[in-house]
Amino acid sequence: MNTALEYQTSTVPKPRSRKRSRKALIAFILAWMIFVGGGLWGAKWYTDRVKQQMLEDLTKQNEQQIQLLSKQMETEIAAVKTHVDENLAILNEKVQTFNELLSFANENASSKTDNSTQLYSQLDEIKKQLDELKKNLDTLK
């Protein structure tokens, strides 16, 4: 009978000590916290990297758009300038023509002072338009 009892006591596992199970639990929790902390750090590092890359891409796109708009504005300003220059040339021709007509009218003036007054008023209007176009050209520059 002794042998049966010895057999039973030798096959029954000994209960673990509480200190050993606590150490294992603490080690598991610590490993889990390190794993989670590493994951959080990795996620933050990745989002910062993606954020930086997006900012660089947006900066490049903005620079390209600014250059494109600058070229378009230069083209439009050049077109407006040529248009204004053409109008100024036309107005100068008209002013010259009116000056010739006025000088002719003054040379051949008799009692028809009304015609010269009308020519002078038209000349003043054209000069005003010419001055206005010059101001517009200066503002475009």
Side-chain angles (χ1 to χ4, degrees):
M1 253 185 125
N2 251 347
T3 57
L5 253 183
E6 286 178 18
Y7 177 72
Q8 284 181 349
T9 57
S10 65
T11 59
V12 176
K14 294 182 181 178
R16 290 188 203 173
S17 67
R18 286 188 170 197
K19 288 182 183 179
R20 193 173 195 193
S21 65
R22 279 189 182 169
K23 285 182 182 180
L25 181 62
I26 290 173
F28 174 75
I29 290 174
L30 185 62
W32 184 80
M33 289 176 73
I34 290 172
F35 182 71
V36 170
L40 290 174
W41 177 82
K44 183 177 180 346
W45 174 81
Y46 179 74
T47 55
D48 287 345
R49 189 173 138 221
V50 168
K51 183 178 171 183
Q52 184 66 30
Q53 188 176 9
M54 286 176 61
L55 285 173
E56 290 173 1
D57 290 344
L58 285 174
T59 303
K60 286 179 185 177
Q61 287 176 358
N62 285 342
E63 288 175 1
Q64 289 173 351
Q65 288 177 350
I66 287 171
Q67 289 175 355
L68 179 66
L69 287 175
S70 176
K71 288 179 183 177
Q72 287 176 347
M73 290 301 296
E74 288 174 1
T75 305
E76 289 178 14
I77 288 173
V80 168
K81 184 180 176 187
T82 56
H83 180 69
V84 168
D85 287 342
E86 290 171 358
N87 285 340
L88 283 175
I90 291 170
L91 280 176
N92 279 330
E93 288 177 15
K94 286 183 180 180
V95 167
Q96 287 290 15
T97 306
F98 278 122
N99 280 335
E100 291 173 5
L101 285 174
L102 279 176
S103 63
F104 178 75
N106 282 336
E107 291 173 1
N108 296 326
S110 58
S111 63
K112 298 182 180 179
T113 58
D114 291 338
N115 288 340
S116 64
T117 307
Q118 287 177 353
L119 287 175
Y120 277 117
S121 63
Q122 288 178 355
L123 180 62
D124 285 339
E125 288 177 25
I126 289 175
K127 284 183 179 180
K128 287 178 185 177
Q129 289 178 355
L130 181 63
D131 290 338
E132 185 178 325
L133 280 173
K134 285 181 181 178
K135 287 178 185 177
N136 288 339
L137 181 62
D138 289 340
T139 57
L140 285 175
K141 288 181 182 178

